[in-house]
């Protein structure tokens, strides 16, 4: 089965699993998508900003693999007429009951609101200092874990 079919079939399952009213949700069909990937306007620090944009590129590349062009936009630049895949602690996520401050560790949330998809996790820089001669500690980007699990569960 081509990946394009797996992605579409998986996203139909996502819709049914996450929201009963969203059973017609399709992010891409026949190489076309109306979606946009939306990242927060502001992020806690430059490192998290870069990591979240890398996560958005990962999602964009999955669409490209399936012959779809999907833009990455800051939330204030999104097209309100188009549905979005909201990554991280966006105003849209907060307005729809997602409070990432309540998540622990690499925790994240998958949520469907209408035709919009929210994937938001606890994204925070590490406060640990690197030990002498070791590599620096990693930042915690729960949204990355949420995207990875989303792709594994719903995109094959």
């Amino acid at each position: 089965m081509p990946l394009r079919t797996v992605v579409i079939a998986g996203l139909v399952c996502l819709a049914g699993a996450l929201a009963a009213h969203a059973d017609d949700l399709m992010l891409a069909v026949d190489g076309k998508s109306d979606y946009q990937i939306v990242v927060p306007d502001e992020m806690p620090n430059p490192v998290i900003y870069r990591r979240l944009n890398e996560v958005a590129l990962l999602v964009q590349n999955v669409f490209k693999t399936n012959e779809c062009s999907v833009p990455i936009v800051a939330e204030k630049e999104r097209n309100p007429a188009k549905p979005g895949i909201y990554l991280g602690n966006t105003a849209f996520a907060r307005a729809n009951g997602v409070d990432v401050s309540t998540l622990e560790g690499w925790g994240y949330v998958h949520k469907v609101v209408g035709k919009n998809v929210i994937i938001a996790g606890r994204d925070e820089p590490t406060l640990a200092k690197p030990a002498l001669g070791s590599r620096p500690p990693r930042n915690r980007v729960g949204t990355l874990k949420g995207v990875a699990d989303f792709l594994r569960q719903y995109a094959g």
Side-chain angles (χ1 to χ4, degrees), residues 36-44 48 52-53 56 72-78 84-101 103 109 111 113 116-123 143:
Q36 57 196 326
I37 301 164
V38 182
V39 295
D41 292 327
E42 296 180 19
M43 293 184 222
I48 296 301
L52 215 51
N53 279 296
I72 299 170
V73 297
E75 193 166 16
K76 65 184 171 196
E77 298 168 357
R78 71 178 174 75
I85 300 169
Y86 290 81
L87 301 178
N89 190 20
T90 59
F92 182 81
R94 291 188 304 274
N96 285 283
V98 176
D99 181 0
V100 297
S101 70
L103 301 172
V109 173
K111 186 172 186 176
V113 178
N116 298 291
V117 176
I118 298 169
I119 305 173
R122 181 108 187 206
D123 303 326
T143 300

Side-chain angles (χ1 to χ4, degrees), residues 51-52 54-55 58 106 108 119-123 141-150:
R51 295 300 167 257
L52 215 51
E54 290 167 353
V55 171
L58 173 65
W106 288 83
Y108 62 85
I119 305 173
R122 181 108 187 206
D123 303 326
V141 186
T143 300
L144 171 59
K145 173 84 166 100
V147 164
D149 286 351
F150 175 88

Side-chain angles (χ1 to χ4, degrees), residues 134-155:
S134 68
R135 86 169 131 157
R138 296 223 163 96
N139 297 299
R140 186 172 295 147
V141 186
T143 300
L144 171 59
K145 173 84 166 100
V147 164
D149 286 351
F150 175 88
L151 294 174
R152 180 182 49 78
Q153 292 171 18
Y154 305 112

Side-chain angles (χ1 to χ4, degrees), residues 5-53:
T5 305
V6 172
V7 170
I8 293 167
L11 293 171
V12 171
C13 292
L14 166 71
L18 295 180
H21 66 278
D23 52 359
D24 293 327
L25 183 68
M26 296 250 200
L27 300 183
V29 178
D30 296 328
K32 295 183 180 118
S33 177
D34 290 332
Y35 278 80
Q36 57 196 326
I37 301 164
V38 182
V39 295
D41 292 327
E42 296 180 19
M43 293 184 222
N45 73 29
V47 172
I48 296 301
Y49 175 80
R50 285 192 304 276
R51 295 300 167 257
L52 215 51
N53 279 296

